[in-house]
Amino acid sequence: MATGTSLSHVFPLGSRLNERGRLEVGGCDTIELAREFGTPAYVVAEEDLHARARAFAQAGEQAGHEDFHVVFASKAFPCTAVLEVFAREGLWCDVASGGELHLALQAGYAPERIVMHGNAKSAAELRMALDARVGLIVVDNFDEIDRLERLSEKAQDVLIRVTPDVRGETHEKISTGQADSKFGFSMADAPAAIERIGQIDGLALKGLHAHIGSQLLDLAPFRREVAELAKLGSETHPPGGFSIYDLGGGLGVAYTETQPRPPAIDEYVGTLVRAAQEHGMGLPGRRLLIEPGRALVANAGVTLYTVESVKRNVSTWVGCDGGMSDNLRPMLYGASYEAHVADRFGGATPCVLAGKHCESGDVIVRDALLDDPRPGDVIVTPATGAYGFAMASNYNGVPRPPVVFCRDGEARVVVRRESFEDLTARDVR
Ligand SMILES: *Cc1c(COP(=O)(O)O)cnc(C)c1O
């Protein structure tokens, strides 16, 4: 690990070790952030969010596709301030529930830039999407078509979600493109879904959607996805002839310095656009959408913790003040992260960074190398901007952490820490 002033690519853009050897994010000293805002805390470099949003948009321009739009998969970091950054950058927003639709509308997305997903949308959620006049509803199954037929009065633009039976190399729980999936129509059922929607006055079928999985580090499955989508059509719609293709999200990120590097954003976008053009989906007037979640937010965020205890038995157990309640991914998917003492980078003591919850599996980093950690040390885990906040819980009655935005040396709280009062706020007595 770097001991100079520059840091590896897993940290937010612009991060550095300052003259005192302390990690700085968005120009803010993380030891001071921990003191001022407490720990655990999600710290986000605001500029990093802007930079990645622009990188996606520019990659689309460079690839030469006129009608290309980046749709933020809001589930990755469903925080109003984050949604607002991307709304200001001109991104669209993907939502998968009534709650996410509410967040997107509150954050200022024009309804026509909202894409509604879900494999089990309720009538209430569909009605909410129709009333808000969202740009696209992505239809997942035949029951939903029946439901939309009953609910839709004005012509609502829809896409059909298909599972192109393309398997990305990723964890089974975040692989979505295989034939035996809870998401979307199979390749075999898609033509019937296309015909059926064509018969409904209240629905206007605009195109197809697929999302093959998450944290993909290889681009080949994306090319296969496009090739499969190009085969689909029906008597009413020629294969490859729809006006919108939404290719989903899934670009992987670097969680640790040593893992294989993910493709660059422009390489990923270029590959998708070229594949679409090869299959006739890139003609003038055709719209291409992609839905990155993780790749927009993961590396923009770090989490700060404080060490509460250090125990030496077979391993060295570093117990910190957070854990599975603020980052469920290690437990859920066996996800790997790095950890560092925020003011003593470059440590060599093998440690297990453990959370404070009553589960043996509540381990944040199993193979951390820390500089002789002691109680009171501030620990930083980089690349925690995606799915940590989203999946946070109150397990063990732990209040959820704040979100602190940092930019040019200024820090501001955009979500406050939960209080103990919040834990009882919904009680009805
Ligand atoms: C989760 C999801 C995404 C985003 O996935 P990432 O791996 O975070 O890019 C995009 N589209 C759909 C439909 C999803 O379910």
Side-chain angles (χ1 to χ4, degrees), residues 423-429:
L423 298 181
T424 50
R426 295 186 301 137
D427 293 354
V428 180
R429 292 193 241 232

Side-chain angles (χ1 to χ4, degrees), residues 73 75-76 94 117 161 176 183 209 211 213-215 248-251 291-295 387:
K75 69 173 193 267
D94 130 8
H117 285 286
R161 177 165 183 167
T176 50
F183 296 107
H209 168 278
H211 169 69
S214 278
Q215 185 55 11
L251 175 62
E291 301 175 330
R294 183 188 319 266
Y387 299 106

